[in-house]
Amino acid sequence: MHPAPSVIVFTVLSGLGFGFLAFLGAAFVQPAGWTAFLLWGLGYALAVGGLLASTFHLGNPQRAWRAMSQWRTSWLSREGVMAIATLLMLAPVALSDWLGLGWSRLPGVIGAIMALVTVFTTSMIYAQLKTVPRWNHWVTPAMFLCFALAGGAILALPRWPALALVVVMGLALVLSWSIGDRRFAEVGQTMGKATGLDRIGKPSIFDPAHTAGNYLLHEMIHIVGRKHVARLRVLALIFAVVLPALALALLPGAVLPRAVAAVAYLIGAFAARWLFFAQAEHVVGLYYGKR
Amino acid sequence: MTCLPARTDKKLGLAIDLDTCVGCNACVTACKGWNDQGYGAPLSDQEPYGAHPSGTFLNRVHSYQVAPDQGAAQVVSFPRSCLHCDNAPCVTVCPTGASYKRSEDGIVLVNEDICIGCGLCAWACPYGAREMDQAAGVMKKCTLCVDRIYNEALPEEDRVPACVRTCPTGARHFGDFADPGSKVSQLAARRGGYDLMPDMGTKPTNKYLPPRPKDRLDTAPLTPLLDIRATGFAGWLDRMLEKF
């Protein structure tokens, strides 16, 4: 699949934002005054920034509000609804922390759960697609949730619990690769089944349907850069897992380890998410003899 | 709502005969021509006369070489367009309600006025039936020429999809698959009409009729020529020359 920058930025930033907001809402950190303003502001900026980035790849972004309407069947719609509802639910808690109003923290706890549900709905946009076997597996939501929790933990939790969540995220990432690599073969779609011509023999491409590119080839059949997969996976692991873990374990102070770990996490998460799209193969490629 | 209808009164669709199709691309051209005018945003082209022309099409004809276990390979032309699935995944994933399946005739359509161009429906379709129009930013797909088939301003013989009307070999048949007595239902039953990627659970309406088995010659057509024996002067010459 085409690794559109807007979708990579969306899933990484809003995942991190909602992970952080979940920890803030559930009062794992209880900032006050302007510290609260800055931390809640960071959480909201990441979550909202990601959501806004997701509209950049739309053909008609001015109609994006309509995407809230079909929550009964559409995971994309559910994601939009959950994201907005979560941001609204957490708003009074953020306000109370900032201005010292002492309001109930109950909406924070509910909002924390909703933030994780939002990340789950984001992952289901991809995991629901039978047409992309690599994504169509429970490991996709597991991996998205681990990224959100680990990212949030880097920003919100004490160093050792954060380090533990980063390691769990690393395991989820490696698991998603090892399961993902087998999925296309497991699902067993072939050019023969796609065309039904396996009835009479083994089909191969005789002549392409068109010699120029089209939307399908550009959007679903992205083969550029797959040759660097092994190197990118190592880089993703180093930046998303190893460097944050080392920073959390070794660097002194309260802010420095978090800042270094967060920057490394973002670089690693962008690399991992780029691979998530670039490596995903859509069954429509079978008609073109390309994956 | 993007819920699928529990049932549709009709199941309008196409039976595509892979035995008869010669891959002339007339259906591709007729489809593009008809859908450049009338229903929804016109199918645009990018750089049509430039170095890298591309454009939006609702129907594409692939060409495959199929090698059987024994005997010679055969070439099969394979038109690919929307199958108007009963269990259309492109409809349920739509976040805005722009994609819908009509309960009266089962046609899957896009309301282009509320399509945001997110592309998720195209991702959900196993068949590559949907293409985003790069000029309009909305999703385009086969409408089964909904603006022809009910159009009483057209002569009756023209009230079929443009691809069916134009096909010079009669490889494309339009009709109601919900009616077991319809021409398309009978054709599909008689010829073993099949679904593409049935494991995907999409329950396509359109059926593909497989190529008929090819005749096989027992001997090569030129073999008898080897047995011709020359007579008379030519025969004498033949025998003489063989002695050297």
Side-chain angles (χ1 to χ4, degrees), chain B:
Chain B
M1 268 292 188
T2 46
C3 298
L4 290 164
R7 60 176 295 279
T8 58
D9 300 333
K10 289 183 174 179
K11 290 181 200 290
L12 295 186
L14 303 175
I16 296 173
D17 192 343
L18 298 180
D19 194 60
T20 318
C21 176
V22 293
C24 68
N25 279 268
C27 55
V28 178
T29 314
C31 170
K32 179 93 173 177
W34 180 260
N35 288 291
D36 262 351
Q37 51 197 339
Y39 190 94
L43 300 176
S44 70
D45 288 314
Q46 281 67 47
E47 277 195 69
Y49 306 105
H52 302 286
S54 66
T56 315
F57 287 78
L58 311 181
N59 180 30
R60 307 235 184 211
V61 180
H62 293 254
S63 173
Y64 299 100
Q65 168 179 287
V66 189
D69 288 339
Q70 287 180 329
Q74 78 186 86
V75 170
V76 177
S77 297
F78 183 93
R80 178 177 56 80
S81 58
C82 175
L83 309 174
H84 297 279
C85 302
D86 255 0
N87 192 16
C90 55
V91 170
T92 52
V93 299
C94 175
T96 69
S99 264
Y100 61 105
K101 184 172 174 71
R102 308 207 318 174
S103 59
E104 62 267 40
D105 53 17
I107 300 180
V108 176
L109 290 175
V110 175
N111 177 353
E112 294 175 9
D113 291 336
I114 63 172
C115 172
I116 58 174
C118 70
L120 191 57
C121 55
W123 286 14
C125 172
Y127 311 111
R130 291 174 169 238
E131 297 191 14
M132 179 102 73
D133 190 84
Q134 300 301 305
V138 295
M139 197 54 75
K140 300 297 294 185
K141 69 175 293 303
C142 161
T143 65
L144 215 55
C145 284
V146 69
D147 52 344
R148 290 176 67 102
I149 58 178
Y150 298 115
N151 191 342
E152 291 183 1
L154 295 176
E156 199 168 347
E157 66 268 27
D158 284 337
R159 289 179 214 160
V160 291
C163 58
V164 174
R165 185 71 182 93
T166 202
C167 180
T169 63
R172 303 176 73 97
H173 306 269
F174 166 70
D176 178 13
F177 284 94
D179 169 13
S182 71
K183 188 181 74 173
V184 285
S185 294
Q186 303 232 324
L187 252 179
R190 202 165 58 238
R191 292 280 307 283
Y194 63 82
D195 294 341
L196 305 184
M197 286 194 261
D199 311 345
M200 284 280 157
T202 51
K203 299 198 185 124
T205 300
N206 285 12
K207 298 285 179 267
Y208 280 79
L209 312 180
R212 293 184 175 90
K214 292 277 184 205
D215 291 340
R216 305 240 180 262
L217 292 170
D218 294 332
T219 53
L222 296 182
T223 305
L225 290 180
L226 296 174
D227 285 340
I228 292 177
R229 297 226 164 260
T231 53
F233 174 70
W236 173 81
L237 200 59
D238 185 37
R239 284 193 299 278
M240 283 298 116
L241 286 171
E242 268 175 13
K243 286 185 177 163
F244 288 100

Side-chain angles (χ1 to χ4, degrees), chain A residues 79-164:
Chain A
E79 200 268 347
V81 171
M82 278 308 298
I84 303 289
T86 305
L87 294 175
L88 289 177
M89 177 64 84
L90 288 171
V93 188
L95 210 61
S96 164
D97 277 1
W98 173 30
L99 301 173
L101 302 173
W103 291 350
S104 160
R105 292 210 69 89
L106 183 64
V109 177
I110 299 172
I113 297 166
M114 287 169 67
L116 295 182
V117 173
T118 304
V119 175
F120 176 73
T121 54
T122 306
S123 70
M124 284 306 291
I125 296 171
Y126 307 103
Q128 68 175 332
L129 295 172
K130 280 188 184 173
T131 48
V132 186
R134 178 181 286 274
W135 295 346
N136 188 225
H137 193 276
W138 58 260
V139 80
T140 300
M143 191 264 286
F144 271 63
L145 280 167
C146 284
F147 263 85
L149 285 171
I154 289 173
L155 296 175
L157 292 193
R159 56 175 77 209
W160 297 113
L163 197 154

Side-chain angles (χ1 to χ4, degrees), chain A residues 148-179:
Chain A
L149 285 171
I154 289 173
L155 296 175
L157 292 193
R159 56 175 77 209
W160 297 113
L163 197 154
L165 280 172
V166 167
V167 172
V168 170
M169 177 192 79
L171 294 176
L173 184 58
V174 172
L175 189 66
S176 76
W177 289 335
S178 84
I179 291 175

Side-chain angles (χ1 to χ4, degrees), chain A residues 198-278:
Chain A
D198 53 354
R199 281 164 180 74
I200 56 173
K202 186 172 162 35
S204 56
I205 302 289
F206 180 69
D207 201 21
H210 42 96
T211 49
N214 71 348
Y215 173 75
L216 299 175
L217 291 170
H218 178 256
E219 186 75 7
M220 328 272 187
I221 306 163
H222 182 86
I223 45 178
V224 186
R226 280 199 197 137
K227 62 178 175 178
H228 298 307
V229 162
R231 252 170 289 174
L232 274 168
R233 282 183 171 179
V234 172
L235 281 179
L237 277 180
I238 289 174
F239 277 96
V241 184
V242 178
L243 288 182
L246 288 176
L248 290 168
L250 303 175
L251 291 180
V255 177
L256 183 67
R258 290 180 202 288
V260 172
V263 170
Y265 162 92
L266 274 179
I267 296 171
F270 281 127
R273 210 46 59 82
W274 189 89
L275 280 171
F276 176 76
F277 288 98

